Amino acid sequence: MMTRARSLQLGLSALFVAGAVACGTPAWGAAGSALVAQTTTSIEASTTTTEVVWTLPPDAAPGDTVTVALPDHAGGVLGDGRWISASGALIGHASLAADGALSIHLTDAAAEPGNRSGRTLVTTTGVASPGTTTSTGLRALGHLPAGEVPGEFHGTVDRTTATKYGAWFPGLPRVEWTVETPRGPWDVVTVADPAPTGASVDCAAGVAVRSTSRTAPETGYLIDLIPVASERVATTCDTSGVTVSVTPVATDEILEVRFSSDVANATDDAVNVATVTATRTTDAPAARATTLRPVIVPAPSATPSGTPTPVPAPPPSTPTPTPTPPAPPTPTVTPVADRLATTGADGADIGAMAAAGLLALVAGAAATGGARRPHRRGGDPA
């Protein structure tokens, strides 16, 4: 019994294996396989165009996904993803990954032999979009106590904001003010510093504008300052205040604006407030729009059976008229005179002619008599 059961089990196993071999592996097609394609790319200004001459892999079937790498179109946003063959049939729906990989999910129309190849133009165009403008208004307070002598600085300067400080001219009611701006980049930085009541700006002494990107590690003091090129600087100065604009300000660049101002006396604290306005526009990421344009090849039209061109019948020939022969002339009967005129003929000729004339008369009389003879009725003998 054990032997028979094992034999039955082995038999079923062999039948299953045989069935699996006979059925084969399910034809899932070319899921994720590469599209057979030849690409040519051209770039002009902000537009990238790739010509894709393609053919579906032999085993690609409806429901499969085929891919083609288009790295020049990375970052493009595909709108209409219809993938159309040269015959004009919609055979798939395409999607574009961020790295430029184009995937096409095939439809039932991809099974038709005439729909399995084509030529498609993939175009990606950069679309300008407005950037973001940021304007920062900073208030920098300068407070210089009367009689203060500059000393060692303790702490670290915050370079994300504006700073203002001053120093007395020894023994004079005169202050040198310094304004430092936040680090760039900026499109434009403007420093407006009005003179407080009782003070006046000494424009004749000049307004110095310098910059650097370096600071002392321990203190944050500005080091290696150099004058800013005059073409970048616009300065307005009078006794009531000073305004300086610098454009553009590079990444990490810090501006220093320094000028002198006379105050009412040196026995009072000098207080002054400057306003620093820094503006920059951050470009928005370039938007890239991608489109697909198939090149349709019209099917050759069947050659119609030609309608024979009628050959015009030749015009009927006009028969050449046969000329009517002229009627024979009616013979003129010359009357015979009763007497022959005497001619120069001899006697023998005259006699012959007379005999011939006599015979003609006799014959004519006989003919005339026959013609006028009446016919009798009833068949009586003549």
Side-chain angles (χ1 to χ4, degrees):
M1 187 67 181
M2 292 289 294
T3 303
R4 293 183 59 189
R6 182 170 179 77
S7 299
L8 179 60
Q9 182 180 5
L10 291 175
L12 291 174
S13 299
L15 180 61
F16 178 80
V17 172
V21 172
C23 294
T25 303
W28 297 111
S33 63
L35 186 69
V36 180
Q38 180 178 0
T39 61
T40 304
T41 299
S42 62
I43 300 176
E44 183 177 351
S46 61
T47 299
T48 301
T49 301
T50 300
E51 178 187 52
V52 183
V53 180
W54 57 270
T55 302
L56 293 180
D59 56 350
D64 293 345
T65 298
V66 294
T67 61
V68 59
L70 301 174
D72 292 311
H73 300 269
V77 178
L78 180 61
D80 185 353
R82 292 179 297 171
W83 193 259
I84 298 174
S85 68
S87 64
L90 172 64
I91 68 161
H93 298 279
S95 60
L96 185 64
D99 61 356
L102 188 73
S103 300
I104 306 162
H105 186 71
L106 301 179
T107 65
D108 291 342
E112 294 294 331
N115 299 339
R116 297 180 68 84
S117 63
R119 176 169 162 248
T120 303
L121 300 179
V122 182
T123 302
T124 297
T125 303
V127 180
S129 57
T132 302
T133 300
T134 302
S135 183
T136 302
L138 302 172
R139 185 173 180 270
L141 172 63
H143 183 192
L144 181 62
E148 181 176 88
V149 177
E152 190 67 24
F153 179 82
H154 300 278
T156 302
V157 179
D158 181 5
R159 292 302 175 187
T160 64
T161 188
T163 301
K164 181 173 181 178
Y165 57 89
W168 291 102
F169 280 77
L172 297 174
R174 184 180 180 88
V175 179
E176 184 180 60
W177 292 111
T178 301
V179 179
E180 296 172 352
T181 68
R183 287 186 184 273
W186 303 102
D187 295 334
V188 59
V189 172
T190 300
V191 176
D193 198 338
T197 303
S200 62
V201 177
D202 185 1
C203 297
V207 178
V209 182
R210 301 187 299 173
S211 75
T212 185
S213 60
R214 301 187 60 198
T215 57
E218 299 82 7
T219 62
Y221 281 3
L222 300 183
I223 59 176
D224 300 334
L225 285 156
I226 60 174
V228 176
S230 59
E231 60 267 21
R232 293 175 54 198
V233 180
T235 302
T236 301
C237 183
D238 58 28
T239 57
S240 63
V242 60
T243 300
V244 175
S245 293
V246 178
T247 183
V249 177
T251 300
D252 291 333
E253 184 178 17
I254 301 171
L255 302 175
E256 177 198 80
V257 177
R258 181 172 289 185
F259 61 95
S260 298
S261 178
D262 295 321
V263 295
N265 58 72
T267 58
D268 296 330
D269 292 356
V271 179
N272 197 2
V273 177
T275 300
V276 178
T277 303
T279 303
R280 65 180 163 215
T281 299
T282 303
D283 293 335
R288 287 164 58 82
T290 301
T291 59
L292 305 176
R293 183 167 67 88
V295 179
I296 308 299
V297 178
S301 57
T303 303
S305 56
T307 303
T309 302
V311 178
S317 58
T318 303
T320 304
T322 302
T324 304
T330 304
T332 303
V333 179
T334 304
V336 179
D338 294 339
R339 296 182 59 182
L340 294 176
T342 301
T343 64
D346 57 13
D349 291 335
I350 294 174
M353 288 191 298
L358 181 61
L359 289 176
L361 290 175
V362 172
T368 301
R372 294 182 178 179
R373 184 179 181 178
H375 294 278
R376 299 182 184 268
R377 299 181 180 270
D380 294 335

